[in-house]
Amino acid sequence: MLEPLPSDIPKFLEKYLPDNGPFITLTYAQSLDSRIAAAPGERTYISHAQTKTMTHYIRAHHDAILVGINTVLADNPSLNCRYGTNNSKIRPVVIDPNFRFFSEDINNYKLIDNYKRNNNLKPIFIISEDISIKDESVLNLIDIIQIPLVDGIMSWSDIFTSLHNLGLKSIMVEGGATIINTLLTTTLVDSLIITIGPIFLGNEGVQVSPSSQVKLENINWWTGIQDSVMCANLKK
Ligand SMILES: NC(=O)c1ccc[n+]([C@@H]2O[C@H](COP(=O)([O-])OP(=O)(O)OC[C@H]3O[C@@H](n4cnc5c(N)ncnc54)[C@H](OP(=O)(O)O)[C@@H]3O)[C@@H](O)[C@H]2O)c1
């Protein structure tokens, strides 16, 4: 069960949520020392129950939620929406160029189990176009999009265009660090929503720090019982 949404959150977020067109929201929770996990692969709680509800409220405004494969393997997230009437109507998307997920026992993962129980929409995995799917039964549990890799990297415009082409217009990107750090230096992000929890996770933690300076504008802050949330747009 989620805690109730703080009553001033909808107004605070209003200008930073998608309307009808294509829209990319980048959102995550970080510590005071800009870490999003205490160590690679260690599931870490940073945010208060209030901002957890806010995250599900934000999910309710999006068509898809996107994360990198390391986040799925480390945290086993549900990637669904438990706020309001949009319950589970968000499509999980995982960037997994080498299809590492396929080497796992995929039934152990919540996003697969929830899909089987009708608590999640069918997950989409975005993998390299060089991979051939040998066991097609996997397609009963996940959909696959194949995209070219250039030097091991997929272009973000290719990724978002392929999702928009499926009718998934508004995409909420939640991490992990590789994804956040690279997207911060593009011009593709429409809104940035960062929850800051009052904790230092230390220098072994997974760091958010893009490769170059990123300036922000239209900045707005909210403060709750424990966390602060900053909404902004990236200066283009
Ligand atoms: N606090 C939060 O809000 C939050 C949210 C999400 C995650 N996290 C934390 O973040 C950590 C994981 O972060 P991470 O940086 O290790 O991993 P990640 O960003 O979840 O996944 C990175 C992997 O995704 C693939 N990838 C990402 N962008 C790509 C691109 N443009 N083209 C091709 N492949 C791409 C690569 O896979 P290959 O290696 O196969 O090439 C890459 O190694 C976990 O500890 C998790 O707990 C925290």
Side-chain angles (χ1 to χ4, degrees), residues 11 22 40 54 59 90 97 100 106 139 155:
K11 185 95 194 108
M54 179 194 77
R59 289 182 184 180
I90 190 163
R100 286 192 272 140
I106 68 172
L139 299 176
S155 108

Side-chain angles (χ1 to χ4, degrees), residues 27-221:
T27 182
Y28 54 94
Q30 67 159 66
S31 63
L32 293 171
D33 48 347
S34 202
R35 311 285 159 163
I36 60 167
E42 186 175 325
R43 189 168 188 167
T44 310
Y45 295 94
I46 297 171
S47 55
H48 187 269
Q50 275 190 318
T51 44
K52 181 179 177 187
T53 304
M54 179 194 77
T55 298
H56 283 267
Y57 174 80
I58 298 170
R59 289 182 184 180
H61 289 79
H62 290 80
D63 299 322
I65 176 171
L66 182 150
V67 296
I69 182 60
N70 289 355
T71 296
V72 170
L73 301 180
D75 295 352
N76 190 10
S78 294
L79 301 179
N80 61 8
C81 172
R82 297 195 287 280
Y83 182 86
T85 52
N86 198 31
N87 211 351
S88 92
K89 295 285 182 289
I90 190 163
R91 197 86 193 267
V93 178
V94 182
I95 309 291
D96 186 9
N98 305 299
F99 205 17
R100 286 192 272 140
F101 192 61
F102 191 61
S103 327
E104 300 284 317
D105 182 353
I106 68 172
N107 293 301
N108 290 337
Y109 285 86
K110 284 186 198 158
L111 79 167
I112 298 297
D113 191 51
N114 282 340
Y115 172 59
K116 287 190 194 158
R117 293 165 193 267
N118 214 16
N119 288 331
N120 260 49
L121 296 181
K122 194 174 189 186
I124 297 174
F125 275 69
I126 304 191
I127 70 171
S128 161
E129 71 174 6
D130 301 330
I131 291 175
S132 56
I133 310 293
K134 292 181 186 79
D135 178 3
E136 295 213 342
S137 66
V138 74
L139 299 176
N140 294 327
L141 297 174
I142 61 178
D143 284 335
I144 287 181
I145 296 178
Q146 295 195 270
I147 286 188
L149 288 188
V150 178
D151 297 331
I153 302 289
M154 291 167 182
S155 108
W156 282 105
S157 339
D158 286 356
I159 291 170
F160 293 139
T161 304
S162 67
L163 295 171
H164 294 330
N165 289 343
L166 290 178
L168 301 169
K169 289 188 191 160
S170 49
I171 319 258
M172 177 169 171
V173 180
E174 285 203 22
T178 311
I179 286 192
I180 297 166
N181 286 330
T182 53
L183 263 182
L184 277 172
T185 58
T186 69
T187 53
L188 301 170
V189 175
D190 295 294
S191 275
L192 179 65
I193 305 175
I194 304 176
T195 296
I196 298 151
I199 184 170
F200 293 92
L201 289 173
N203 61 15
E204 302 286 303
V206 178
Q207 188 178 36
V208 167
S209 180
S211 60
S212 54
Q213 233 183 72
V214 179
K215 292 194 171 141
L216 305 178
E217 59 188 2
N218 304 323
I219 297 151
N220 202 0
W221 287 87

Side-chain angles (χ1 to χ4, degrees), residues 18-23 169-170:
D19 36 36
N20 281 323
F23 198 94
K169 289 188 191 160
S170 49

